[in-house]
Amino acid sequence: MASDSSPANFNNGPSSPGDSFSTPIANSSSPAHRRRRGRRQASIPSSAAATPSPNPSRFANSSSTPTPSRSTRRGRRPATSPTPAAAATPSSTDDFPPPSSDGGDDMEEATPTFVWGTNISVQDVKNAIQMFIKHFRETHELRNDVYGEGKYMRLIHRVLEIEGEWIDVDAHDVFNYDSDLYNKMVRYPLEVLAIFDIVLMDIVSLINPLFDKHVQVRIHNLKSSTSMRNLNPSDIEKMVSLKGMVIRCSSIIPEIREAVFRCIVCGYHSDPVVVDRGRITEPTTCSNQECLAKNSMTLVHNRCRFADKQIVRLQETPDEIPEGGTPHTVSLLMHDKLVDAGKPGDRVEITGIYRAMSVRVGPTQRTVKSLFKTYIDCLHIEKTDKSRMMSEDPMEVDKGSQRVEDDVQFDEDKVEELKELSKQPDIYERLTRSLAPNIWELDDIKKGLLCQLFGGNALKLPSGASFRGDINILLVGDPGTSKSQLLQYIHKLAPRGIYTSGRGSSAVGLTAYVTKDPETGETVLESGALVLSDRGICCIDEFDKMSDNARSMLHEVMEQQTVSIAKAGIIASLNARTSVLACANPSGSRYNPRLSVIDNIHLPPTLLSRFDLIYLVLDKADEQTDRRLAKHIVSLHFEDTQIAEQDVLDLATLTAYVSYARKNIHPQLSDEAAEELTRGYVEMRKRGNFPGSSKKVITATPRQIESLIRLSEALARIRFSEWVEMRDVTEAFRLLEVAMQQSATDHSTGTIDMDLITTGVSASERMRRENVLAATRNIIMEKIQLGGPSVRLLELLDELKKQSSGSEIHLHDLRNAVATLASEGFVVLQGDSVKRI
Amino acid sequence: MGGPPYDCMANPLGAVRLTFEKAIGSGSLTQTHPLAFDGKDWGALDLFRHFLFQESGLSQVPILNSKTMRWVQPNSLVRYRGMIQDMLGNEFYVGAYKDGNLWRTNKFMDVSQYPMGTPPDMCVWERRLLYCVPVPGQSSWTEPSCEMEPNRGMDWSSQNREKRRRMDDEDADPLDLREDGFPSPSPESRDSKTASSSSSMSTFQYVDKDNLPCLVKIYDSPESELKLNDVFEFIGVLTVDSELAVEKDDNDELSNSFYDDALVHLPPNKVPRLHCLVHRKLAVHDFLQSSPIMEPHLVKGIREALFRHLTTVLGNDEVAAHFMLLHLLSKVHARVDDVAVGKLSLNLMGLSKESATVFGTRLSQAFKSLLPFTHFIPLTLEYLNTASLAPKKDYQENRLIPGVLQLPEGSHIMVDETQLESGSLSSIGIENTKSLKNLMEFQKVEYDFQYYKMEMAADVQLLIFSEGKSNIVPADVVVPFQPSSLESFEIPVAEALEAWRWYLATVRLLPHSIGSEMQKVVEDDLVAARQADRSLGSRDFSRWLTMARLVSSSFGETCLSLEHWQMVKELERLRRERLK
């Protein structure tokens, strides 16, 4: 409590109401009264101690923190004051004996001392603390060696060895050992901590009487932490623990604790003058008996003693702010070692004593305003930083092979929760459902996007070759198929993501530019997107409208992950380790199934092949879907009830899940998985020249196997698994095939190559499909006249079902069959209707 | 209580004190400990509520603004209308303390009048500090006509002023003050003191003549009741502590560094303090001079008249006028995920720079007379690169620096994009366009807290003029504007304006529902429309339904009818035709 801001503690308050008075609050503060006397005395000897006397233990200590009363260190430092009070008062009239190992005890011998305004006996507390320090053992220690030293004894030894200045005491330990002591400590921190320090010093001096540093107790990890918003008058002078973000640090304030004056007449140096009530009284006369000059004393700066002090402002973290509120702030007072422990922007959890001081109206006025300024006397500060990662850098991933170990850590509870989640058997499906729950179906696309979010492992070989871990996805499709919404959603989920429209995106430009279309007068914002989304996801809408120039940049980005900019003869290579999620409209406004994908989107195959997954999002003119959409929108507008979405993770959890996985899970291929990959790849290669295949198809390239590895790694990450397993590989193949089914094309006919799918299935399945094909051909021969009116696919399906009783036939199968027929030039497929030609 | 023995207007603190003493039972032997009143009212508020609302004292309470500030007296009852611009956290104060044997209270005061005792003899309570400003873009009609005769005010003010003088006086004998605590209308004149106090009054220097901010201190009300950007009327005690200004000179380093919060930057001679007794949230209705009671059939009449007015203003473009009317009635009804349901921003395109100026002026004039809070943003490169649209936290001053987009619910913004030229945007410009776009699409504004951003929900109507379709601020409805005449419109009569304001304010609050049959029709229509035109997406459907709701409420109906649904489809058809 040697708080300087509350100097009044030590002096006899009533005389100076105008002084900043830190103890306005009922009883808790008042121990000052009792202690005041002791302290006052203490200050006298301490000044003596300041003239270094090679005295053992406490004297020495008191000299290191010499000014019990006025020291900068506030309450937390209570040790300073009481210690000398208890021990360093040989000269005082009190019955404190000269420093001895048990000196502290006598304080209570005079009369049983109580913490002011309570029935808490100082002696009891002291004993309790002694017991705690000496005998506390962690549970696992209890079992093993009962005779070894307790946790805190060991800590003390260590502190002595490294000449530390404090020991951290976990409040949970205190609670577990002696909950009564814990409660007292939280309610009367000033008093209890003072005693704590005394006990500690006693122990220290027993172990090493020559140890001349002052060791303090730092309590942390309280049982309950308060929200800044809920601090109220009843918390004053209590120990509190808060989470928040440091927003401002003052410069370090050297606070004078002890001043030395020199007489300008005779050169006599005064005894050190201790700060009293925040002030140093300059001696008016020289105390040299031979001089006695008046007003001759001047301060000798380099003989004064200063301590570090800093005022830090802490602000609520966004998650604690209620709707419609602004963040609260609170001032913290840091001392000595705590100075500069937190920098602006750090998220910290602090433990300290909530204090209030009254506001003086003016330096000269005696009236006290009825206001109090509050601050927290900081005892302990701990960086938490977990949420910062989420808000700022959830996409912060592997940095090549040398992964920088961040000190960033998730809250243990949260991690547990996430791990629990990851153990659910259906986590993959569940995450898929949680991704853009407002967009229905498109499940396979969502699965692909999920893989993109989690990403594979980037690899950098010693040779310098690097393999990206980012998965690039292209969505091609008809307008109005919520591609853009998907993009927006992913963009939101990945805060480092950049959303840009291909139209007018200069891709590399570092600045943004407004352009005006000379014809329509439409204004467009051009921005450089890729560089900005380093380590994120770059979402490019209207990819097809991107200028060739900009697009060519993407080649480099998507494989080498850098952007080169040539300006004024200098070529700069900037990192752009980004996943690209692009969506493109077909070159005609609708996808033309008769043209190849490449023709449809006007993208060069070289660029196209850099996408791991290419999805065709075709708008199937399905009345059911439309009706669902209509219903959804009507209910959105007319029913106040929220559309119930059960079993879906909220965005925050999803983000946490993704970032945790990206951060902490780095799956490796198991042998089994590697085997399967090789096998699958070889099979894919073979398909290209499958004997039954009459047409050329895109065969698998080494790029595909890289994609497969990335996808399976991502899938393992989804499960929080360190090993890529067989099933991951299988699913990766499936995803790739689903994407290929829709996008792998046959250039000879320009249609979607259904053969590819046929060859991808088992022999029996192939047989079945051939049967369907034959049946369809027959039906069409029967039903449709050459050049006659077209027939809808659904009608054909009914017919087909009638004929082939027994086996299930899906629209999907039919569509395949018809497409094959169309490629043979037998029929024309227009949207949903079939016409014979 | 019949005939209150105290003057709530001139000496509200006296009333507070009396009720406190009564509640605490001073004089009697058993005093209630004031702890019982922590966070509670002891009856003072009832007294004021009774006075304000039952005895209709409200209209007599002067409204605090830069004009009235000249003659309103400190420590008297005033009301202040404004938007909560920033919250400065809580403040601890000595709520009650023992003076001798008597408990006294400091509630609703800044400075204690008696020397305060030692800790056990005082109770610390807390109050919230809100920094309020006049609502940005407030139209002149919302300001109540100043019916307070300053003369009448002077009568009691001179006497009061002198009281204040005495309170300020440090040397004042406590006894004197105590006397003063009671409402003693003693018209003794101490001219010299009055004169000196009036000089102290002149120390008010407002940065902005028309913009009087106010620091409101709120007692005992739940946090959720007052939210950022809400428009409130605060009725309470005005204090202007000149003494507080001295704080600045206090060179005690420690206290200074604790102080370097907002209060230092809000010296009381620039920002008056209001100790709030009663607060109430203001709706547009509260700004209307009279609230005409309208019959449903009258609503149609008003709608027709307003529509005609808008048509004239828009150069006889009826389609645009229809959309304009719907636009003015739009309001965010619900938020589902990211979708703000009910907003309808309007983009009038096809305007050149010149025509935008002409119609811009006409429209903004019209809006000013119809809507309570209006804004105009000339979207130029320079503006984008320099303006601060989103509010930003300044940690030096510990204040939220207001941005153009920090607006209360129901504000209207007109953006003129025709003036935008090609050119580079600075990083500020990018932020600004992003903010505008965010507001447009999600009705949310990101407040910049430097270390993180916080999204605040907004409800702002946005109208954009542009040459082509605006891509920088993509609106819900794009209507090619086709004015046919430029005839000047007559200024509508006051009653008509009043009726229209009432109409706009009332109709947009109407509830809305849909019958199951109608729902079926709508769904079928949507499905059919989508079958016919695959490019229609959820956004279009959403717009149609918003329009349907607005059309039907514009006729004062609460249930969607087929007729109105047809009207929406027709409007949409007309609009699409123009787009071709």
Side-chain angles (χ1 to χ4, degrees):
Chain A
M1 29 187 24
S3 73
D4 26 273
S5 71
S6 57
N9 270 1
F10 311 103
N11 81 63
N12 303 319
S15 66
S16 61
D19 210 312
S20 49
F21 192 64
S22 76
T23 62
I25 312 313
N27 43 12
S28 60
S29 64
S30 40
H33 286 307
R34 185 192 65 73
R35 206 160 281 162
R36 228 177 255 150
R37 204 169 302 131
R39 193 98 28 68
R40 267 265 46 55
Q41 295 155 349
S43 68
I44 303 159
S46 82
S47 63
T51 54
S53 61
N55 222 343
S57 67
R58 294 223 220 96
F59 268 129
N61 305 331
S62 66
S63 76
S64 78
T65 52
T67 58
S69 51
R70 213 79 290 262
S71 78
T72 355
R73 308 120 165 274
R74 18 257 290 66
R76 66 117 16 277
R77 219 54 153 87
T80 49
S81 43
T83 308
T89 54
S91 63
S92 80
T93 55
D94 257 332
D95 50 356
F96 294 154
S100 68
S101 60
D102 55 345
D105 294 2
D106 336 76
M107 190 153 86
E108 285 75 29
E109 276 168 20
T111 45
T113 343
F114 293 99
V115 172
W116 197 90
T118 68
N119 56 358
I120 298 173
S121 151
V122 172
Q123 186 60 46
D124 287 354
V125 173
K126 197 163 172 178
N127 292 340
I129 294 172
Q130 255 164 356
M131 292 293 282
F132 167 73
I133 294 184
K134 288 188 177 152
H135 301 295
F136 175 78
R137 279 175 178 78
E138 287 182 277
T139 37
H140 61 89
E141 290 175 336
L142 273 178
R143 244 174 283 125
N144 299 339
D145 74 308
V146 194
Y147 303 105
E149 290 201 304
K151 176 182 178 186
Y152 288 102
M153 285 310 283
R154 274 181 287 132
L155 257 180
I156 293 174
H157 280 292
R158 178 142 31 102
V159 166
L160 288 184
E161 270 163 40
I162 61 167
E163 307 220 322
E165 294 183 18
W166 70 85
I167 67 165
D168 285 332
V169 174
D170 189 330
H172 274 77
D173 292 347
V174 180
F175 183 82
N176 292 338
Y177 189 80
D178 184 349
S179 59
D180 182 49
L181 176 62
Y182 175 85
N183 291 335
K184 283 177 188 158
M185 181 176 76
V186 171
R187 288 188 61 195
Y188 308 106
L190 293 175
E191 296 74 22
V192 174
L193 285 183
I195 301 169
F196 220 125
D197 278 2
I198 295 171
V199 172
L200 192 61
M201 286 315 294
D202 285 349
I203 294 171
V204 166
S205 59
L206 268 183
I207 297 170
N208 179 4
L210 295 176
F211 191 77
D212 61 351
K213 277 197 175 154
H214 191 83
V215 181
Q216 298 168 13
V217 178
R218 292 189 174 178
I219 306 286
H220 65 108
N221 198 11
L222 288 192
K223 293 286 286 181
S224 59
S225 87
T226 328
S227 140
M228 210 177 287
R229 205 158 273 279
N230 296 335
L231 284 177
N232 61 48
S234 67
D235 289 322
I236 289 179
E237 306 282 308
K238 301 261 159 58
M239 198 184 284
V240 293
S241 148
L242 288 179
K243 281 184 187 155
M245 180 189 262
V246 176
I247 51 163
R248 246 185 106 189
C249 293
S250 71
S251 51
I252 299 170
I253 305 163
E255 197 183 42
I256 195 160
R257 299 237 219 99
E258 210 176 60
V260 172
F261 292 92
R262 186 173 57 90
C263 172
I264 46 168
V265 177
C266 67
Y268 173 82
H269 282 252
S270 73
D271 287 340
V273 180
V274 181
V275 176
D276 186 18
R277 268 167 278 171
R279 263 167 229 194
I280 297 261
T281 340
E282 188 183 299
T284 47
T285 49
C286 178
S287 47
N288 185 355
Q289 290 304 319
E290 288 149 34
C291 173
L292 290 175
K294 297 231 167 173
N295 299 326
S296 65
M297 301 305 278
T298 166
L299 191 69
V300 187
H301 286 278
N302 52 10
R303 286 198 56 191
C304 298
R305 200 183 303 273
F306 296 91
D308 286 348
K309 185 178 77 172
Q310 188 178 35
I311 290 154
V312 170
R313 276 195 96 82
L314 200 65
Q315 178 171 280
E316 267 179 321
T317 49
D319 41 316
E320 287 184 343
I321 305 163
E323 193 209 331
T326 60
H328 279 203
T329 55
V330 68
S331 293
L332 305 179
L333 197 55
M334 304 280 197
H335 290 285
D336 298 327
K337 290 289 169 206
L338 289 175
V339 165
D340 274 349
K343 285 174 223 57
D346 285 348
R347 302 213 176 196
V348 296
E349 176 163 7
I350 60 115
T351 310
I353 303 169
Y354 195 44
R355 325 250 334 219
M357 62 180 182
S358 65
V359 177
R360 220 178 334 166
V361 168
T364 53
Q365 279 157 318
R366 288 185 56 221
T367 34
V368 175
K369 265 185 76 182
S370 57
L371 289 185
F372 284 98
K373 286 287 159 192
T374 54
Y375 61 91
I376 291 176
D377 221 340
C378 196
L379 294 172
H380 188 272
I381 178 166
E382 189 174 4
K383 286 189 196 176
T384 51
D385 251 0
K386 55 188 174 272
S387 27
R388 182 180 183 189
M389 180 181 98
M390 300 202 301
S391 73
E392 218 164 68
D393 216 355
M395 287 295 143
E396 183 68 20
V397 233
D398 8 49
K399 302 183 169 103
S401 55
Q402 63 277 63
R403 213 158 273 145
V404 176
E405 281 307 322
D406 274 288
D407 51 344
V408 177
Q409 273 167 8
F410 274 86
D411 196 321
E412 273 173 34
D413 298 347
K414 190 81 190 168
V415 169
E416 272 315 302
E417 195 190 318
L418 293 178
K419 284 196 175 144
E420 208 47 53
L421 213 56
S422 72
K423 288 197 192 106
Q424 294 185 355
D426 65 336
I427 183 65
Y428 181 43
E429 275 71 34
R430 200 152 162 209
L431 287 174
T432 311
R433 272 201 304 273
S434 315
L435 197 70
N438 275 350
I439 301 165
W440 305 293
E441 289 148 8
L442 307 180
D443 269 359
D444 279 322
I445 297 178
K446 284 188 190 173
K447 283 177 179 165
L449 293 176
L450 209 54
C451 287
Q452 185 179 38
L453 277 174
F454 282 88
N457 265 342
L459 197 64
K460 191 160 195 168
L461 298 180
S463 64
S466 62
F467 296 95
R468 67 186 159 99
D470 304 295
I471 296 170
N472 300 322
I473 295 183
L474 174 67
L475 307 177
V476 185
D478 294 332
T481 40
S482 46
K483 295 187 302 293
S484 297
Q485 276 111 299
L486 271 177
L487 244 65
Q488 290 271 16
Y489 189 87
I490 296 293
H491 161 62
K492 275 201 75 155
L493 205 61
R496 186 59 90 74
I498 294 286
Y499 182 89
T500 175
S501 173
R503 192 208 304 245
S505 193
S506 62
V508 283
L510 293 169
T511 55
Y513 196 78
V514 175
T515 51
K516 208 163 195 173
D517 188 321
E519 281 171 41
T520 62
E522 288 186 14
T523 43
V524 166
L525 186 67
E526 283 194 356
S527 62
L530 290 170
V531 180
L532 297 179
S533 59
D534 187 28
R535 291 193 188 286
I537 293 184
C538 180
C539 303
I540 309 176
D541 207 349
E542 307 196 60
F543 191 56
D544 48 317
K545 307 218 174 38
M546 211 167 196
S547 71
D548 288 345
N549 197 3
R551 221 184 273 156
S552 67
M553 279 299 187
L554 281 172
H555 284 244
E556 189 190 345
V557 171
M558 289 172 66
E559 213 55 57
Q560 271 72 49
Q561 311 237 292
T562 53
V563 171
S564 300
I565 295 170
K567 232 172 200 168
I570 299 166
I571 297 176
S573 193
L574 303 174
N575 277 332
R577 291 155 296 188
T578 170
S579 307
V580 175
L581 170 60
C583 77
N585 287 325
S587 56
S589 62
R590 293 187 66 74
Y591 191 85
N592 186 342
R594 287 201 288 170
L595 294 178
S596 68
V597 175
I598 292 171
D599 290 337
N600 257 312
I601 42 179
H602 274 298
L603 285 178
T606 46
L607 187 53
L608 216 51
S609 72
R610 284 178 159 83
F611 285 100
D612 298 80
L613 296 171
I614 302 171
Y615 285 105
L616 282 186
V617 196
L618 296 189
D619 183 18
K620 299 168 219 108
D622 179 1
E623 212 186 306
Q624 280 314 105
T625 329
D626 289 350
R627 190 156 287 281
R628 274 185 72 183
L629 177 68
K631 265 202 175 2
H632 172 73
I633 290 179
V634 171
S635 65
L636 196 69
H637 279 261
F638 289 98
E639 279 155 39
D640 292 332
T641 49
Q642 298 255 328
I643 301 107
E645 281 149 4
Q646 74 288 42
D647 203 22
V648 162
L649 302 180
D650 58 86
L651 201 65
T653 317
L654 193 56
T655 319
Y657 194 92
V658 171
S659 45
Y660 180 81
R662 287 192 73 135
K663 194 108 209 156
N664 299 304
I665 312 287
H666 302 286
Q668 290 179 333
L669 285 180
S670 64
D671 292 346
E672 195 190 20
E675 194 89 344
E676 173 68 15
L677 267 174
T678 329
R679 202 189 57 73
Y681 178 64
V682 170
E683 194 165 295
M684 269 173 76
R685 291 284 291 187
K686 272 198 216 145
R687 276 179 214 157
N689 41 18
F690 190 75
S693 156
S694 53
K695 304 178 189 80
K696 283 189 295 171
V697 290
I698 298 179
T699 51
T701 63
R703 279 215 168 106
Q704 249 96 40
I705 194 157
E706 279 180 30
S707 298
L708 283 167
I709 294 172
R710 282 192 285 269
L711 286 172
S712 20
E713 279 171 351
L715 288 163
R717 259 189 187 165
I718 291 177
R719 292 183 294 111
F720 279 15
S721 158
E722 287 293 347
W723 288 101
V724 178
E725 288 168 20
M726 184 82 166
R727 49 174 162 160
D728 300 319
V729 177
T730 320
E731 174 66 11
F733 269 106
R734 196 190 68 82
L735 281 177
L736 194 68
E737 264 166 31
V738 168
M740 296 235 307
Q741 169 184 350
Q742 294 170 323
S743 64
T745 57
D746 177 345
H747 294 269
S748 67
T749 58
T751 56
I752 296 174
D753 185 6
M754 294 309 162
D755 272 4
L756 193 69
I757 304 135
T758 337
T759 55
V761 294
S762 67
S764 63
E765 175 71 12
R766 199 157 63 233
M767 189 68 90
R768 198 179 74 87
R769 294 210 177 165
E770 262 154 34
N771 287 344
V772 173
L773 182 64
T776 316
R777 193 195 302 269
N778 290 339
I779 292 170
I780 290 175
M781 296 275 261
E782 280 168 31
K783 297 275 166 182
I784 309 174
Q785 318 259 297
L786 199 67
S790 59
V791 177
R792 301 193 63 178
L793 274 179
L794 286 171
E795 291 171 40
L796 275 180
L797 187 64
D798 288 344
E799 200 63 35
L800 210 58
K801 277 183 180 159
K802 255 185 253 161
Q803 291 199 356
S804 58
S805 54
S807 61
E808 280 258 310
I809 296 175
H810 295 285
L811 184 63
H812 178 70
D813 301 326
L814 178 66
R815 205 180 274 274
N816 288 348
V818 172
T820 315
L821 291 176
S823 72
E824 288 170 9
F826 182 59
V827 291
V828 183
L829 185 61
Q830 284 168 327
D832 251 4
S833 52
V834 185
K835 196 172 181 180
R836 202 174 145 193
I837 43 173
Chain B
M1 50 197 75
Y6 17 66
D7 186 350
C8 285
M9 292 274 292
N11 189 5
L13 289 178
V16 169
R17 227 169 282 137
L18 276 185
T19 50
F20 179 74
E21 274 158 22
K22 199 159 142 199
I24 210 133
S26 67
S28 71
L29 285 173
T30 51
Q31 288 194 20
T32 319
H33 196 273
L35 267 181
F37 300 125
D38 184 8
K40 274 190 235 99
D41 174 41
W42 55 73
L45 298 195
D46 290 339
L47 178 78
F48 281 99
R49 284 216 186 87
H50 181 82
F51 165 72
L52 291 170
F53 302 117
Q54 252 92 75
E55 295 173 18
S56 57
L58 185 62
S59 58
Q60 296 167 42
V61 180
I63 287 190
L64 191 67
N65 55 33
S66 42
K67 275 177 228 127
T68 52
M69 196 60 213
R70 282 175 233 290
W71 54 265
V72 166
Q73 289 315 301
N75 292 328
S76 69
L77 201 64
V78 293
R79 53 188 170 143
Y80 180 82
R81 290 176 157 192
M83 177 183 89
I84 302 175
Q85 195 265 317
D86 193 6
M87 297 171 167
L88 305 180
N90 293 349
E91 187 176 70
F92 289 4
Y93 68 103
V94 179
Y97 58 96
K98 223 168 189 173
D99 177 31
N101 279 325
L102 270 182
W103 280 98
R104 305 201 174 274
T105 181
N106 274 332
K107 208 169 172 177
F108 309 110
M109 283 174 235
D110 268 331
V111 185
S112 128
Q113 296 177 16
Y114 309 97
M116 282 182 293
T118 39
D121 288 338
M122 52 168 109
C123 298
V124 176
W125 295 342
E126 65 183 328
R127 57 192 173 203
R128 293 177 73 197
L129 299 189
L130 301 177
Y131 182 75
C132 300
V133 294
V135 189
Q138 201 169 353
S139 307
S140 53
W141 60 266
T142 56
E143 274 159 36
S145 52
C146 217
E147 54 216 35
M148 294 291 304
E149 327 92 272
N151 283 341
R152 186 199 167 275
M154 275 323 212
D155 282 345
W156 49 264
S157 72
S158 63
Q159 149 206 341
N160 209 62
R161 176 176 293 185
E162 149 204 326
K163 275 181 197 163
R164 179 187 121 76
R165 180 60 224 162
R166 278 192 273 156
M167 284 184 192
D168 284 354
D169 199 333
E170 306 137 19
D171 309 322
D173 181 355
L175 276 175
D176 185 20
L177 281 168
R178 184 168 311 185
E179 211 173 67
D180 182 67
F182 293 96
S184 52
S186 48
E188 38 175 344
S189 62
R190 292 194 209 163
D191 288 75
S192 59
K193 285 208 167 181
T194 316
S196 71
S197 86
S198 63
S199 72
S200 84
M201 292 294 288
S202 66
T203 55
F204 282 106
Q205 299 140 350
Y206 301 110
V207 191
D208 188 344
K209 279 273 174 219
D210 308 314
N211 238 347
L212 180 76
C214 183
L215 191 65
V216 179
K217 307 200 174 185
I218 301 284
Y219 295 82
D220 318 329
S221 75
E223 197 164 21
S224 52
E225 210 170 275
L226 297 133
K227 291 191 176 156
L228 201 67
N229 300 347
D230 279 353
V231 178
F232 266 90
E233 179 167 77
F234 303 97
I235 302 150
V237 187
L238 172 74
T239 59
V240 192
D241 262 308
S242 55
E243 284 171 297
L244 279 172
V246 189
E247 271 170 22
K248 267 178 139 178
D249 308 327
D250 190 345
N251 48 13
D252 178 347
E253 194 164 10
L254 180 66
S255 67
N256 254 6
S257 13
F258 279 123
Y259 268 142
D260 64 0
D261 52 17
L263 293 185
V264 172
H265 302 278
L266 306 172
N269 60 345
K270 297 217 172 67
V271 183
R273 270 66 166 150
L274 184 82
H275 293 262
C276 177
L277 289 156
V278 181
H279 59 261
R280 58 185 190 124
K281 195 171 176 175
L282 293 182
V284 185
H285 288 275
D286 297 304
F287 290 112
L288 295 172
Q289 305 300 337
S290 55
S291 41
I293 297 136
M294 301 286 173
E295 303 281 318
H297 65 273
L298 280 178
V299 168
K300 294 206 174 74
I302 300 175
R303 182 193 187 280
E304 194 49 41
L306 179 57
F307 174 67
R308 257 185 277 113
H309 176 63
L310 288 175
T311 316
T312 336
V313 173
L314 288 167
N316 273 341
D317 184 345
E318 286 208 5
V319 178
H322 268 293
F323 278 100
M324 185 63 73
L325 181 65
L326 300 187
H327 163 68
L328 292 182
L329 290 175
S330 67
K331 168 184 189 302
V332 178
H333 296 289
R335 283 174 195 274
V336 181
D337 295 333
D338 256 350
V339 189
V341 182
K343 71 184 175 89
L344 191 75
S345 49
L346 179 62
N347 181 184
L348 290 183
M349 63 172 247
L351 284 131
S352 64
K353 230 184 244 182
E354 295 73 36
S355 56
T357 322
V358 175
F359 286 101
T361 332
R362 291 171 74 145
L363 276 172
S364 80
Q365 224 176 314
F367 292 154
K368 277 210 174 91
S369 59
L370 291 174
L371 304 171
F373 319 121
T374 57
H375 297 264
F376 177 71
I377 297 182
L379 208 63
T380 61
L381 266 187
E382 201 202 339
Y383 182 86
L384 276 176
N385 280 336
T386 52
S388 51
L389 292 186
K392 208 176 154 202
K393 181 84 173 185
D394 180 343
Y395 287 113
Q396 289 303 312
E397 294 192 15
N398 204 19
R399 285 268 323 280
L400 189 63
I401 307 299
V404 179
L405 298 186
Q406 189 182 2
L407 298 170
E409 269 178 30
S411 298
H412 184 275
I413 301 185
M414 196 156 74
V415 180
D416 182 1
E417 204 202 80
T418 56
Q419 303 175 32
L420 194 60
E421 300 286 340
S422 300
S424 288
L425 282 185
S426 64
S427 57
I428 301 172
I430 297 172
E431 281 295 309
N432 281 339
T433 36
K434 217 172 105 192
S435 298
L436 265 180
K437 203 169 163 180
N438 254 339
L439 177 64
M440 194 74 134
E441 284 182 22
F442 309 111
Q443 289 287 335
K444 279 182 181 165
V445 179
E446 280 194 329
Y447 287 26
D448 185 1
F449 282 91
Q450 200 169 334
Y451 301 103
Y452 50 85
K453 295 196 168 176
M454 233 168 73
E455 269 190 347
M456 296 273 183
D459 183 0
V460 176
Q461 302 165 337
L462 280 144
L463 172 69
I464 298 105
F465 294 142
S466 61
E467 231 168 278
K469 173 175 172 276
S470 172
N471 291 319
I472 288 180
V473 267
D476 295 323
V477 195
V478 180
V479 180
F481 184 41
Q482 294 166 352
S484 54
S485 75
L486 247 180
E487 64 184 69
S488 59
F489 60 96
E490 0 176 322
I491 313 279
V493 289
E495 288 105 69
L497 274 178
E498 191 71 12
W500 294 343
R501 286 170 199 153
W502 174 87
Y503 168 80
L504 288 176
T506 315
V507 160
R508 61 202 294 258
L509 296 179
L510 286 179
H512 191 56
S513 63
I514 184 168
S516 56
E517 261 172 52
M518 197 53 219
Q519 188 168 349
K520 184 90 184 54
V521 172
V522 172
E523 277 174 26
D524 286 344
D525 276 355
L526 294 186
V527 173
R530 192 160 153 77
Q531 294 286 343
D533 182 356
R534 301 304 298 168
S535 67
L536 290 175
S538 53
R539 206 171 282 191
D540 302 272
F541 291 169
S542 208
R543 183 181 64 235
W544 291 3
L545 284 163
T546 306
M547 284 165 60
R549 176 185 183 134
L550 294 172
V551 166
S552 96
S553 5
S554 79
F555 287 99
E557 312 262 325
T558 56
C559 194
L560 182 63
S561 66
L562 190 60
E563 184 197 350
H564 294 150
W565 176 241
Q566 300 289 10
M567 216 173 131
V568 169
K569 288 201 289 184
E570 177 64 13
L571 268 177
E572 190 64 12
R573 193 186 59 77
L574 287 171
R575 187 182 75 91
R576 291 185 144 248
E577 243 165 44
R578 284 195 181 184
L579 274 173
K580 274 176 195 157

